[in-house]
């Protein structure tokens, strides 16, 4: 007993319950590895130190000679870097949104598409493509705008419908399923009437991290920032919500308000991610659960680590998508499931943690 | 004596069912009141109304805090009223330490991290409830008795003056039932807690606590000291049970009568 009661013994240890520095370092290391691989590997393999020098040279006040030719420098700065950044943003947003949905609904199967985001975005994109609403690039491309609008409408309708059928999380989830089915039916109808657009829509549905310069990352960044700011701010509230609405309310929380704010913020990010990169399944479920198995299930750790590991995972998946069958590209949704599923089973078998 | 909890003319209707009809109940500061009554009498609903979890008519006053006037009423209420639910939701993977720290939520605010003071309080309570060696375990991995103490520890971490216990002994064997109620009694004395508990076991309800309120058909049918309230007649009337009452120095012992076996006619 004498050793254990050393001053600050238990109290110091109690402090470490949330995000541990070692976990944070692991997450940052994963991002560094993924970004390095994403920038150096491709049809032209480039040395990591040259790429690093080239990027540092671009910073104000830094002047370094990377030794890369102009063409190679352009590959790094204009092709690979925007694509890596978009992968980070999309992967981080989808993972974080999935973790937030799982926490808010206390349901391990919840993912960012739970309230019909995929179906709403799919319908929006289908209408934009079949309606030939123009194919301008960048922020004013009507396909992402229509997908974004469709996703937000479906979340709003799900929320409204869920509140009509009582106020339990189950009624909200069921409303989401109903809305998704309805919108998918609408999409199928529009698709049948415009079968010539089939290929284009199918390609959109399978998802891709494709960029034309910096417009997509620039489009995605503000949504990522807003979603992260809100969701991460509510990480402790989600830990309180883990004891259920009734006990959380008895502890002074407003469970329904917390859930609504978190779900709406997560939906906004997911809708933006879907609109720039199509439907990329699996990431919002697999990354948060892997993080839980590896680092514990407190949302104080799961949410920030999902940002880091989600971003890293998406960059690596995109690397696989563009190199596996080069010069052809695999749809990224295929890669996330193909790489993610076996990896997840491996983690599931080796971890002794009980997460749900 | 000042009343820590005062309920006047409390009416609750849930899904068209009039569950509570004009309930009046008061508990003085430091008093332990056991609410007993048959299944469906409204015991849990009464606790839920006190917690502000169901809409109600009438008046509830907890330690000077009135039902619906305070703007930040949930957190304010949670600083005055701690709750041990009958079947607590145990979050998978949550450590005992984190679970007990949840009790500090109404003090720290939703967005703030726990302070050194919060941790000090959690550690003190963990050690007081003999959970000092368990803080690094998950709540899931605890035995029934340990788990009940962890839930109690979370409630104590709220540092509320009023403790609501909903059937705190239900899932426990006799020894652990006694342990929990002894612990509540000791804590009540140490911390001057007001305790309102619902209990199924009438003998335990008579043994622990100062006063009993019988809730039947949504009304407080009788209230008073155990020896006055727990009579053969009142138990027959409100529980539909045939019992004998054995006098014991520590309070009445309620013994059910096996009617068919003994050939007695009720």
């Amino acid at each position: 007993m004498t050793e254990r009661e050393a001053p600050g013994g238990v109290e110091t240890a109690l402090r470490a319950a949330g995000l541990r520095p070692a976990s944070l370092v692991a997450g940052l290391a994963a991002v560094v590895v993924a970004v390095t691989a994403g920038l150096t590997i491709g049809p032209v393999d480039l040395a990591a130190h040259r790429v690093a020098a080239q990027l540092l040279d671009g910073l104000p006040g830094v002047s370094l000679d990377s030794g890369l030719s102009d063409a190679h420098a352009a590959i790094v700065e204009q092709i690979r870097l925007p694509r890596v950044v978009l992968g980070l943003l999309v992967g981080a947003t989808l993972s974080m949104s999935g973790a937030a949905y799982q926490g808010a609904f206390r349901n391990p199967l919840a993912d960012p598409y739970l309230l019909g985001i995929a179906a709403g975005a799919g319908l929006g994109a289908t209408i934009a493509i079949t309606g030939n609403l123009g194919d301008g690039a960048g922020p004013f491309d009507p396909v992402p705008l229509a997908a974004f609008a469709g996703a937000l409408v479906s979340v709003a309708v799900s929320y409204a419908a869920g509140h009509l059928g009582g106020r339990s999380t189950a009624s909200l989830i069921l409303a989401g399923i109903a809305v998704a089915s309805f919108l998918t039916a609408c999409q199928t109808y529009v698709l049948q009437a415009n079968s010539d657009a089939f290929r284009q829509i199918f390609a959109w549905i399978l998802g891709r991290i494709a960029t034309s310069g910096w417009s997509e990352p620039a489009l995605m960044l503000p949504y990522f920032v807003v979603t992260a700011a809100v969701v991460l701010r509510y990480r402790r509230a989600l830990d309180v919500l883990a004891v259920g609405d009734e006990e959380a309310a008895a502890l002074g929380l407003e469970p329904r308000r917390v859930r609504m704010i978190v779900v709406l913020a997560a939906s906004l990010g997911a809708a933006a991610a879907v609109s720039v990169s199509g439907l990329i399944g699996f990431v919002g479920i697999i990354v948060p659960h892997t993080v839980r198995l590896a680092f514990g299930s407190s949302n104080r750790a799961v949410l920030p680590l999902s940002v880091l590991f989600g971003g890293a995972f998406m960059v690596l998946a995109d690397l696989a998508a563009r190199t596996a069958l080069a010069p052809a590209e695999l749809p990224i949704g295929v890669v996330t499931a193909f790489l993610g599923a076996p990896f997840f089973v491996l983690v599931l078998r080796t971890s002794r943690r009980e997460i749900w | 004596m000042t009343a820590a909890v005062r309920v006047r003319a409390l009416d609750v209707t849930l899904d068209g069912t009039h569950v509570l009809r004009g309930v009046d109940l008061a508990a003085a500061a430091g008093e332990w009141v056991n609410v007993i009554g048959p299944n469906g009498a409204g015991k849990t609903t009464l606790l839920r109304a006190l917690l502000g979890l169901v809409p109600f008519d009438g008046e509830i006053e907890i330690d000077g805090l009135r039902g619906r006037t305070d703007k930040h009423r949930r957190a304010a209420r949670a600083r005055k009223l701690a709750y041990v639910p009958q079947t607590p939701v145990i979050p998978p993977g949550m450590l005992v330490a984190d679970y007990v720290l949840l009790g500090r939520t109404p003090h720290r605010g939703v967005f703030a991290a726990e302070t050194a003071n919060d941790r000090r309080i959690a550690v003190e309570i963990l050690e007081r409830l003999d959970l000092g060696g368990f803080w690094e375990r998950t709540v899931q991995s605890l035995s029934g008795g340990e788990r009940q103490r962890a839930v109690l520890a979370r409630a104590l971490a709220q540092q509320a003056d009023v403790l609501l216990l909903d059937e705190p002994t239900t899932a426990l064997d006799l020894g652990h039932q006694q342990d929990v109620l002894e612990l509540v009694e000791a804590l009540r004395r140490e911390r001057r807690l007001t305790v309102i508990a619902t209990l199924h076991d009438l003998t335990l309800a008579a043994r622990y606590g100062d006063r009993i309120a019988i809730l039947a058909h949504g009304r407080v049918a009788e209230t008073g000291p155990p020896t006055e309230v727990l009579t053969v007649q009142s138990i027959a009337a409100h529980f539909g049970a045939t019992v004998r009452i054995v006098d014991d120095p520590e309070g009445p012992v309620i013994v059910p009568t096996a009617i068919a076996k003994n050939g007695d006619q009720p």
Side-chain angles (χ1 to χ4, degrees), chain A residues 19-169:
Chain A
L19 178 60
R20 287 160 207 268
S23 317
L24 192 61
V25 169
L28 291 171
V31 170
V32 169
V33 167
V35 168
T36 306
L39 290 175
T40 55
I41 300 171
V44 191
D45 287 335
L46 304 171
H49 68 277
R50 291 191 195 285
V51 170
Q54 182 66 35
L55 294 180
L56 288 173
D57 184 46
L59 294 176
V62 181
S63 184
L64 280 171
D65 182 14
S66 67
L68 290 178
S69 70
D70 285 354
H72 287 176
I75 288 176
V76 170
E77 289 182 337
Q78 287 161 37
I79 298 177
R80 289 189 189 167
L81 187 60
R83 189 164 174 152
V84 163
V85 170
L86 184 64
L88 283 177
L89 291 174
V90 167
T93 305
L94 289 176
S95 305
M96 171 175 58
S97 296
Y101 263 77
Q102 286 143 27
F105 287 105
R106 299 200 298 123
N107 185 333
L109 295 179
D111 79 354
Y113 306 145
L114 189 71
L115 298 183
I117 282 187
L123 178 61
T126 303
I127 289 172
I129 291 170
T130 57
N132 266 325
L133 299 177
D135 52 347
F140 302 107
D141 186 343
V143 175
L145 275 181
F148 187 65
L152 292 188
V153 165
S154 85
V155 172
V157 173
S158 299
Y159 235 99
H163 269 237
L164 295 178
R167 291 178 151 198
S168 69
T169 55

Side-chain angles (χ1 to χ4, degrees), chain A residues 13-14 17 236 246-247 253, chain B residues 48 74 89 97-98 111 135 154:
Chain A
L14 276 179
R236 294 189 182 89
E246 189 161 311
E247 290 177 57
L253 204 71
Chain B
R48 287 166 50 84
R74 277 213 200 284
V89 175
D98 290 335
F111 302 124
W135 65 272
R154 186 187 80 188

Side-chain angles (χ1 to χ4, degrees), chain A residues 135-213:
Chain A
D135 52 347
F140 302 107
D141 186 343
V143 175
L145 275 181
F148 187 65
L152 292 188
V153 165
S154 85
V155 172
V157 173
S158 299
Y159 235 99
H163 269 237
L164 295 178
R167 291 178 151 198
S168 69
T169 55
S171 73
L172 187 50
I173 292 172
L174 291 173
I177 290 172
V179 169
S181 308
F182 180 77
L183 295 177
T184 305
C186 295
Q187 187 201 7
T188 309
Y189 176 79
V190 176
L191 210 52
Q192 291 297 329
N194 300 275
S195 53
D196 47 322
F198 230 97
R199 263 185 74 94
Q200 209 185 339
I201 290 162
F202 191 63
W204 187 87
I205 285 172
L206 285 174
R208 72 259 163 260
I209 300 290
T211 50
S212 47

Side-chain angles (χ1 to χ4, degrees), chain B residues 31-238:
Chain B
E31 194 184 16
W32 179 338
V33 178
N34 286 317
V35 178
I36 63 171
N39 293 332
K43 302 188 291 292
T44 298
T45 303
L46 173 60
L47 298 191
R48 287 166 50 84
L50 286 170
L51 288 159
L53 299 175
V54 292
F56 60 85
D57 289 319
E59 201 175 293
I60 293 177
E61 192 180 326
I62 295 155
D63 206 2
L65 185 78
R66 296 256 171 107
R68 277 167 285 195
T69 51
D70 195 281
K71 193 181 166 203
H72 305 286
R73 63 183 195 280
R74 277 213 200 284
R77 194 194 312 253
R79 286 193 290 271
K80 294 183 178 292
L81 191 67
Y83 173 48
V84 175
Q86 183 173 2
T87 12
V89 175
I90 303 299
M94 188 177 279
L95 303 183
V96 172
D98 290 335
Y99 188 74
V100 174
L101 279 170
L102 288 183
R104 300 301 299 159
T105 306
H107 295 274
R108 68 171 166 77
V110 174
F111 302 124
E114 62 274 354
T115 62
N117 187 45
D118 292 332
R119 287 191 292 273
R120 227 179 350 261
I121 290 162
V123 169
E124 184 257 323
I125 290 165
L126 282 167
E127 305 214 322
R128 172 64 186 85
L129 301 199
D130 293 326
L131 290 166
F134 293 98
W135 65 272
E136 229 174 352
R137 299 244 313 256
T138 61
V139 186
Q140 268 171 325
S141 70
L142 302 181
S143 72
E146 291 160 356
R147 196 179 281 200
Q148 188 68 318
R149 271 187 285 146
V151 179
L152 194 56
R154 186 187 80 188
L156 291 174
Q158 286 175 248
Q159 292 189 312
D161 288 335
V162 182
L163 189 59
L164 296 187
L165 308 168
D166 193 3
E167 301 290 351
T169 58
T170 300
L172 303 176
D173 62 47
L174 187 59
H176 285 102
Q177 290 182 8
Q178 195 173 24
D179 287 348
V180 163
L181 294 174
E182 286 291 337
L183 184 58
V184 170
E185 175 61 24
L187 292 164
R188 171 170 79 123
R189 286 168 189 279
E190 284 167 27
R191 296 167 196 231
R192 293 252 324 138
L193 299 176
T194 307
V195 179
I196 297 179
T198 66
L199 283 171
H200 264 305
D201 189 312
L202 302 183
T203 305
L204 285 178
R207 196 125 311 188
Y208 295 90
D210 308 312
R211 207 150 50 85
I212 286 180
I214 299 184
L215 201 61
H217 304 297
R219 289 192 176 85
V220 175
E222 297 186 39
T223 174
T227 42
E228 287 176 21
V229 171
L230 292 175
T231 62
V232 172
Q233 293 78 11
S234 76
I235 291 170
H238 302 304

